[in-house]
Amino acid sequence: GNTIIENAAREPEIIDLADFLNSMGAKISGAGSKIIKVTGVRELKGGIYTPIPDRIEACTFLIAALITNGKITLNGIKYKNISSVCDILKSCGAVITEDNNCIHVNGEKNMSPVNILTGPYPAFPTDVQPQMMALLSTIIGNSKITETVFENRFLHVNELKKMGANINVLNNTAYIKGTESLIGSKVRATD
């Protein structure tokens, strides 16, 4: 039979899943748009498929390089899949370049504060805002992150405060006053 999924998520992982299933004989169209159409088939066949790199992990590595004033090259990641994060990082002063499905970041530069609004793909991903908050906690100046996807997504704030971060939360917005560095402390990873 036919199935129509309306108001579908548009993340690259959805497209990749559809590509994977189609490579095994499924009939899925519209992945990456608001409407996905699935036509049932009698059976799927085996195959070989390489999934796309995890964009949240890729962003985590980029931010880690910036926090440590380091450099990193990520291979195999498509810039367009993480462009919302890269654009924000560039506005902070990061030097990010791309070539042949590789992304290079140079964190050896003074960074500037920024304001962020999370949202569904292709907007800034909510799953990257804790890492970004850690970075912003080490950038002198005032930044803010407004969370629009999940309620109570700021459980990491108290843990960052244990390390010397200056963060205040009001409703769905975290106000960050950056400091030069954080200190080691015993913390919990909540989500």
Side-chain angles (χ1 to χ4, degrees):
N2 295 314
T3 301
I4 296 177
I5 301 169
E6 296 179 349
N7 197 26
R10 298 183 294 159
E11 284 93 345
E13 295 81 9
I14 303 298
I15 298 168
D16 196 49
L17 175 61
D19 290 346
F20 166 63
L21 292 170
N22 284 337
S23 76
M24 297 190 319
K27 292 183 180 178
I28 302 169
S29 63
S33 71
K34 290 183 178 184
I35 298 176
I36 298 175
K37 297 177 183 175
V38 181
T39 301
V41 297
R42 290 215 178 272
E43 64 182 2
L44 298 175
K45 61 182 180 178
I48 297 173
Y49 189 84
T50 302
I52 61 173
D54 187 294
R55 63 192 167 93
I56 305 306
E57 286 184 15
C59 293
T60 300
F61 283 123
L62 292 176
I63 292 169
L66 294 171
I67 288 173
T68 60
N69 297 314
K71 296 178 183 179
I72 193 169
T73 297
L74 301 177
N75 297 311
I77 187 84
K78 291 181 181 177
Y79 184 88
K80 72 176 185 171
N81 289 352
I82 60 171
S83 62
S84 63
V85 174
C86 289
D87 291 346
I88 291 289
L89 294 174
K90 285 180 180 179
S91 70
C92 288
V95 177
I96 299 175
T97 57
E98 62 165 315
D99 62 72
N100 299 326
N101 281 338
C102 291
I103 298 175
H104 313 275
V105 68
N106 184 347
E108 297 177 337
K109 184 178 180 186
N110 288 332
M111 304 283 285
S112 302
V114 68
N115 296 332
I116 298 171
L117 180 71
T118 66
Y121 186 84
F124 192 93
T126 185
D127 292 339
V128 178
Q129 69 92 343
Q131 300 91 307
M132 194 66 194
M133 191 177 295
L135 173 62
L136 294 174
S137 293
T138 66
I139 296 174
I140 301 296
N142 296 313
S143 299
K144 73 177 179 179
I145 298 176
T146 302
E147 175 60 52
T148 68
V149 179
F150 291 114
E151 285 185 36
N152 202 20
R153 187 59 190 247
F154 291 133
L155 296 177
H156 55 281
V157 169
N158 286 332
E159 305 308 306
L160 286 169
K161 284 181 172 184
K162 291 177 185 176
M163 296 188 293
N166 185 348
I167 305 167
N168 292 303
V169 176
L170 181 60
N171 298 320
N172 67 331
T173 302
Y175 298 89
I176 304 125
K177 184 174 182 181
T179 180
E180 275 192 37
S181 63
L182 299 177
I183 58 171
S185 181
K186 186 174 182 177
V187 297
R188 291 181 331 116
T190 55
D191 63 351

mmCIF file of all heavy atoms in Angstrom, residues 130-160:
data_model
loop_
_atom_site.group_PDB
_atom_site.id
_atom_site.type_symbol
_atom_site.label_atom_id
_atom_site.label_comp_id
_atom_site.label_asym_id
_atom_site.label_seq_id
_atom_site.Cartn_x
_atom_site.Cartn_y
_atom_site.Cartn_z
ATOM 1 N N PRO A 130 24.437 22.524 23.968
ATOM 2 C CA PRO A 130 25.273 22.383 25.167
ATOM 3 C C PRO A 130 26.768 22.572 24.867
ATOM 4 O O PRO A 130 27.480 23.237 25.621
ATOM 5 C CB PRO A 130 24.987 20.956 25.649
ATOM 6 C CG PRO A 130 23.642 20.639 25.106
ATOM 7 C CD PRO A 130 23.593 21.333 23.767
ATOM 8 N N GLN A 131 27.237 21.989 23.760
ATOM 9 C CA GLN A 131 28.645 22.152 23.377
ATOM 10 C C GLN A 131 28.940 23.624 23.072
ATOM 11 O O GLN A 131 29.972 24.166 23.474
ATOM 12 C CB GLN A 131 28.974 21.313 22.128
ATOM 13 C CG GLN A 131 28.758 19.830 22.278
ATOM 14 C CD GLN A 131 27.361 19.379 21.875
ATOM 15 O OE1 GLN A 131 26.361 19.909 22.362
ATOM 16 N NE2 GLN A 131 27.283 18.380 21.018
ATOM 17 N N MET A 132 27.996 24.259 22.368
ATOM 18 C CA MET A 132 28.183 25.666 22.025
ATOM 19 C C MET A 132 28.187 26.537 23.277
ATOM 20 O O MET A 132 28.941 27.500 23.363
ATOM 21 C CB MET A 132 27.084 26.101 21.051
ATOM 22 C CG MET A 132 27.355 27.404 20.384
ATOM 23 S SD MET A 132 28.778 27.288 19.287
ATOM 24 C CE MET A 132 29.062 29.028 19.013
ATOM 25 N N MET A 133 27.363 26.184 24.260
ATOM 26 C CA MET A 133 27.332 26.938 25.506
ATOM 27 C C MET A 133 28.674 26.823 26.234
ATOM 28 O O MET A 133 29.154 27.799 26.819
ATOM 29 C CB MET A 133 26.192 26.473 26.407
ATOM 30 C CG MET A 133 25.956 27.400 27.590
ATOM 31 S SD MET A 133 24.554 26.908 28.612
ATOM 32 C CE MET A 133 23.187 27.134 27.496
ATOM 33 N N ALA A 134 29.288 25.645 26.186
ATOM 34 C CA ALA A 134 30.613 25.484 26.790
ATOM 35 C C ALA A 134 31.614 26.401 26.103
ATOM 36 O O ALA A 134 32.409 27.073 26.765
ATOM 37 C CB ALA A 134 31.058 24.024 26.697
ATOM 38 N N LEU A 135 31.575 26.458 24.773
ATOM 39 C CA LEU A 135 32.471 27.359 24.039
ATOM 40 C C LEU A 135 32.198 28.813 24.405
ATOM 41 O O LEU A 135 33.123 29.571 24.721
ATOM 42 C CB LEU A 135 32.315 27.158 22.529
ATOM 43 C CG LEU A 135 33.069 28.157 21.637
ATOM 44 C CD1 LEU A 135 34.577 28.060 21.857
ATOM 45 C CD2 LEU A 135 32.706 27.947 20.175
ATOM 46 N N LEU A 136 30.933 29.219 24.381
ATOM 47 C CA LEU A 136 30.584 30.608 24.676
ATOM 48 C C LEU A 136 30.966 30.987 26.105
ATOM 49 O O LEU A 136 31.238 32.161 26.381
ATOM 50 C CB LEU A 136 29.093 30.846 24.429
ATOM 51 C CG LEU A 136 28.651 30.733 22.972
ATOM 52 C CD1 LEU A 136 27.134 30.848 22.866
ATOM 53 C CD2 LEU A 136 29.345 31.764 22.093
ATOM 54 N N SER A 137 31.010 30.010 26.999
ATOM 55 C CA SER A 137 31.424 30.281 28.383
ATOM 56 C C SER A 137 32.888 30.688 28.464
ATOM 57 O O SER A 137 33.314 31.249 29.467
ATOM 58 C CB SER A 137 31.181 29.045 29.258
ATOM 59 O OG SER A 137 29.804 28.796 29.374
ATOM 60 N N THR A 138 33.660 30.393 27.416
ATOM 61 C CA THR A 138 35.086 30.737 27.398
ATOM 62 C C THR A 138 35.398 31.908 26.474
ATOM 63 O O THR A 138 36.558 32.204 26.217
ATOM 64 C CB THR A 138 35.936 29.518 26.967
ATOM 65 O OG1 THR A 138 35.636 29.195 25.602
ATOM 66 C CG2 THR A 138 35.684 28.322 27.866
ATOM 67 N N ILE A 139 34.369 32.574 25.960
ATOM 68 C CA ILE A 139 34.552 33.734 25.079
ATOM 69 C C ILE A 139 34.138 34.979 25.853
ATOM 70 O O ILE A 139 32.987 35.096 26.280
ATOM 71 C CB ILE A 139 33.710 33.585 23.794
ATOM 72 C CG1 ILE A 139 34.189 32.374 22.979
ATOM 73 C CG2 ILE A 139 33.772 34.856 22.967
ATOM 74 C CD1 ILE A 139 33.333 32.063 21.766
ATOM 75 N N ILE A 140 35.069 35.901 26.015
ATOM 76 C CA ILE A 140 34.783 37.133 26.752
ATOM 77 C C ILE A 140 33.657 37.895 26.065
ATOM 78 O O ILE A 140 33.696 38.122 24.850
ATOM 79 C CB ILE A 140 36.042 38.021 26.856
ATOM 80 C CG1 ILE A 140 37.172 37.274 27.574
ATOM 81 C CG2 ILE A 140 35.731 39.344 27.537
ATOM 82 C CD1 ILE A 140 36.869 36.923 29.004
ATOM 83 N N GLY A 141 32.664 38.286 26.847
ATOM 84 C CA GLY A 141 31.527 39.029 26.326
ATOM 85 C C GLY A 141 30.229 38.328 26.678
ATOM 86 O O GLY A 141 30.216 37.305 27.371
ATOM 87 N N ASN A 142 29.136 38.899 26.195
ATOM 88 C CA ASN A 142 27.802 38.392 26.514
ATOM 89 C C ASN A 142 27.181 37.703 25.315
ATOM 90 O O ASN A 142 27.109 38.291 24.236
ATOM 91 C CB ASN A 142 26.896 39.530 26.981
ATOM 92 C CG ASN A 142 27.398 40.148 28.266
ATOM 93 O OD1 ASN A 142 27.728 39.432 29.203
ATOM 94 N ND2 ASN A 142 27.478 41.465 28.308
ATOM 95 N N SER A 143 26.746 36.476 25.517
ATOM 96 C CA SER A 143 26.070 35.688 24.488
ATOM 97 C C SER A 143 24.747 35.207 25.052
ATOM 98 O O SER A 143 24.524 35.249 26.258
ATOM 99 C CB SER A 143 26.914 34.469 24.104
ATOM 100 O OG SER A 143 28.162 34.833 23.584
ATOM 101 N N LYS A 144 23.897 34.734 24.158
ATOM 102 C CA LYS A 144 22.669 34.093 24.637
ATOM 103 C C LYS A 144 22.268 32.980 23.677
ATOM 104 O O LYS A 144 22.534 33.045 22.480
ATOM 105 C CB LYS A 144 21.540 35.085 24.853
ATOM 106 C CG LYS A 144 20.898 35.635 23.627
ATOM 107 C CD LYS A 144 19.742 36.563 24.011
ATOM 108 C CE LYS A 144 19.110 37.145 22.758
ATOM 109 N NZ LYS A 144 17.986 38.023 23.078
ATOM 110 N N ILE A 145 21.656 31.966 24.255
ATOM 111 C CA ILE A 145 21.117 30.851 23.483
ATOM 112 C C ILE A 145 19.645 30.729 23.839
ATOM 113 O O ILE A 145 19.296 30.565 25.010
ATOM 114 C CB ILE A 145 21.843 29.528 23.790
ATOM 115 C CG1 ILE A 145 23.320 29.616 23.414
ATOM 116 C CG2 ILE A 145 21.165 28.376 23.052
ATOM 117 C CD1 ILE A 145 24.129 28.388 23.779
ATOM 118 N N THR A 146 18.788 30.820 22.824
ATOM 119 C CA THR A 146 17.355 30.650 23.020
ATOM 120 C C THR A 146 16.969 29.288 22.466
ATOM 121 O O THR A 146 17.210 28.989 21.301
ATOM 122 C CB THR A 146 16.566 31.776 22.324
ATOM 123 O OG1 THR A 146 17.010 33.033 22.850
ATOM 124 C CG2 THR A 146 15.070 31.625 22.554
ATOM 125 N N GLU A 147 16.403 28.463 23.329
ATOM 126 C CA GLU A 147 16.020 27.094 22.998
ATOM 127 C C GLU A 147 14.556 27.064 22.583
ATOM 128 O O GLU A 147 13.686 27.435 23.374
ATOM 129 C CB GLU A 147 16.256 26.189 24.207
ATOM 130 C CG GLU A 147 15.793 24.771 24.043
ATOM 131 C CD GLU A 147 16.455 24.047 22.894
ATOM 132 O OE1 GLU A 147 17.702 24.037 22.816
ATOM 133 O OE2 GLU A 147 15.718 23.494 22.072
ATOM 134 N N THR A 148 14.276 26.633 21.347
ATOM 135 C CA THR A 148 12.898 26.607 20.860
ATOM 136 C C THR A 148 12.390 25.194 20.588
ATOM 137 O O THR A 148 11.236 25.030 20.208
ATOM 138 C CB THR A 148 12.765 27.413 19.552
ATOM 139 O OG1 THR A 148 13.479 26.732 18.509
ATOM 140 C CG2 THR A 148 13.282 28.832 19.712
ATOM 141 N N VAL A 149 13.233 24.176 20.782
ATOM 142 C CA VAL A 149 12.842 22.813 20.427
ATOM 143 C C VAL A 149 12.357 22.031 21.641
ATOM 144 O O VAL A 149 11.284 21.442 21.616
ATOM 145 C CB VAL A 149 14.006 22.073 19.729
ATOM 146 C CG1 VAL A 149 13.597 20.646 19.377
ATOM 147 C CG2 VAL A 149 14.447 22.829 18.478
ATOM 148 N N PHE A 150 13.149 21.996 22.715
ATOM 149 C CA PHE A 150 12.818 21.202 23.895
ATOM 150 C C PHE A 150 12.729 22.066 25.140
ATOM 151 O O PHE A 150 13.559 22.939 25.356
ATOM 152 C CB PHE A 150 13.885 20.124 24.155
ATOM 153 C CG PHE A 150 13.915 19.034 23.140
ATOM 154 C CD1 PHE A 150 15.013 18.877 22.317
ATOM 155 C CD2 PHE A 150 12.851 18.153 23.007
ATOM 156 C CE1 PHE A 150 15.058 17.867 21.374
ATOM 157 C CE2 PHE A 150 12.879 17.141 22.068
ATOM 158 C CZ PHE A 150 13.986 16.997 21.247
ATOM 159 N N GLU A 151 11.735 21.783 25.970
ATOM 160 C CA GLU A 151 11.676 22.410 27.279
ATOM 161 C C GLU A 151 12.728 21.751 28.167
ATOM 162 O O GLU A 151 13.067 20.594 27.986
ATOM 163 C CB GLU A 151 10.292 22.190 27.910
ATOM 164 C CG GLU A 151 9.200 23.049 27.326
ATOM 165 C CD GLU A 151 7.891 22.866 28.069
ATOM 166 O OE1 GLU A 151 7.913 22.680 29.305
ATOM 167 O OE2 GLU A 151 6.852 22.904 27.406
ATOM 168 N N ASN A 152 13.213 22.484 29.123
ATOM 169 C CA ASN A 152 14.148 21.958 30.112
ATOM 170 C C ASN A 152 15.403 21.356 29.469
ATOM 171 O O ASN A 152 15.891 20.323 29.891
ATOM 172 C CB ASN A 152 13.449 20.924 31.007
ATOM 173 C CG ASN A 152 14.173 20.751 32.325
ATOM 174 O OD1 ASN A 152 14.936 21.610 32.738
ATOM 175 N ND2 ASN A 152 13.934 19.636 32.987
ATOM 176 N N ARG A 153 15.898 22.008 28.419
ATOM 177 C CA ARG A 153 17.082 21.514 27.717
ATOM 178 C C ARG A 153 18.364 22.136 28.282
ATOM 179 O O ARG A 153 19.427 22.010 27.699
ATOM 180 C CB ARG A 153 16.954 21.821 26.219
ATOM 181 C CG ARG A 153 18.020 21.219 25.327
ATOM 182 C CD ARG A 153 18.021 19.697 25.452
ATOM 183 N NE ARG A 153 19.166 19.101 24.808
ATOM 184 C CZ ARG A 153 19.111 18.341 23.739
ATOM 185 N NH1 ARG A 153 17.969 18.063 23.185
ATOM 186 N NH2 ARG A 153 20.205 17.845 23.223
ATOM 187 N N PHE A 154 18.272 22.804 29.418
ATOM 188 C CA PHE A 154 19.434 23.483 29.994
ATOM 189 C C PHE A 154 19.954 22.766 31.242
ATOM 190 O O PHE A 154 20.502 23.392 32.140
ATOM 191 C CB PHE A 154 19.087 24.936 30.335
ATOM 192 C CG PHE A 154 18.851 25.811 29.136
ATOM 193 C CD1 PHE A 154 17.754 26.649 29.071
ATOM 194 C CD2 PHE A 154 19.744 25.822 28.070
ATOM 195 C CE1 PHE A 154 17.546 27.477 27.975
ATOM 196 C CE2 PHE A 154 19.547 26.639 26.975
ATOM 197 C CZ PHE A 154 18.439 27.468 26.925
ATOM 198 N N LEU A 155 19.805 21.448 31.328
ATOM 199 C CA LEU A 155 20.272 20.717 32.506
ATOM 200 C C LEU A 155 21.793 20.795 32.668
ATOM 201 O O LEU A 155 22.314 20.642 33.771
ATOM 202 C CB LEU A 155 19.824 19.254 32.439
ATOM 203 C CG LEU A 155 18.309 19.020 32.467
ATOM 204 C CD1 LEU A 155 17.990 17.542 32.322
ATOM 205 C CD2 LEU A 155 17.702 19.577 33.748
ATOM 206 N N HIS A 156 22.498 21.063 31.600
ATOM 207 C CA HIS A 156 23.959 21.162 31.635
ATOM 208 C C HIS A 156 24.452 22.477 32.239
ATOM 209 O O HIS A 156 25.618 22.583 32.588
ATOM 210 C CB HIS A 156 24.532 21.001 30.218
ATOM 211 C CG HIS A 156 23.943 21.964 29.251
ATOM 212 N ND1 HIS A 156 22.701 21.770 28.682
ATOM 213 C CD2 HIS A 156 24.397 23.135 28.767
ATOM 214 C CE1 HIS A 156 22.429 22.785 27.885
ATOM 215 N NE2 HIS A 156 23.439 23.627 27.922
ATOM 216 N N VAL A 157 23.580 23.454 32.389
ATOM 217 C CA VAL A 157 23.997 24.772 32.884
ATOM 218 C C VAL A 157 24.615 24.671 34.279
ATOM 219 O O VAL A 157 25.691 25.230 34.539
ATOM 220 C CB VAL A 157 22.816 25.774 32.868
ATOM 221 C CG1 VAL A 157 23.171 27.041 33.628
ATOM 222 C CG2 VAL A 157 22.439 26.099 31.430
ATOM 223 N N ASN A 158 23.953 23.957 35.193
ATOM 224 C CA ASN A 158 24.503 23.839 36.554
ATOM 225 C C ASN A 158 25.858 23.150 36.559
ATOM 226 O O ASN A 158 26.720 23.463 37.384
ATOM 227 C CB ASN A 158 23.521 23.117 37.469
ATOM 228 C CG ASN A 158 22.350 24.007 37.833
ATOM 229 O OD1 ASN A 158 22.472 25.229 37.865
ATOM 230 N ND2 ASN A 158 21.210 23.398 38.086
ATOM 231 N N GLU A 159 26.058 22.204 35.637
ATOM 232 C CA GLU A 159 27.344 21.515 35.555
ATOM 233 C C GLU A 159 28.429 22.475 35.046
ATOM 234 O O GLU A 159 29.550 22.472 35.553
ATOM 235 C CB GLU A 159 27.230 20.277 34.659
ATOM 236 C CG GLU A 159 26.131 19.300 35.080
ATOM 237 C CD GLU A 159 26.213 18.890 36.534
ATOM 238 O OE1 GLU A 159 27.282 18.416 36.973
ATOM 239 O OE2 GLU A 159 25.205 19.043 37.253
ATOM 240 N N LEU A 160 28.090 23.301 34.061
ATOM 241 C CA LEU A 160 29.050 24.300 33.572
ATOM 242 C C LEU A 160 29.367 25.334 34.662
ATOM 243 O O LEU A 160 30.505 25.790 34.784
ATOM 244 C CB LEU A 160 28.527 24.987 32.314
ATOM 245 C CG LEU A 160 28.563 24.160 31.031
ATOM 246 C CD1 LEU A 160 27.782 24.848 29.918
ATOM 247 C CD2 LEU A 160 29.994 23.893 30.602
#
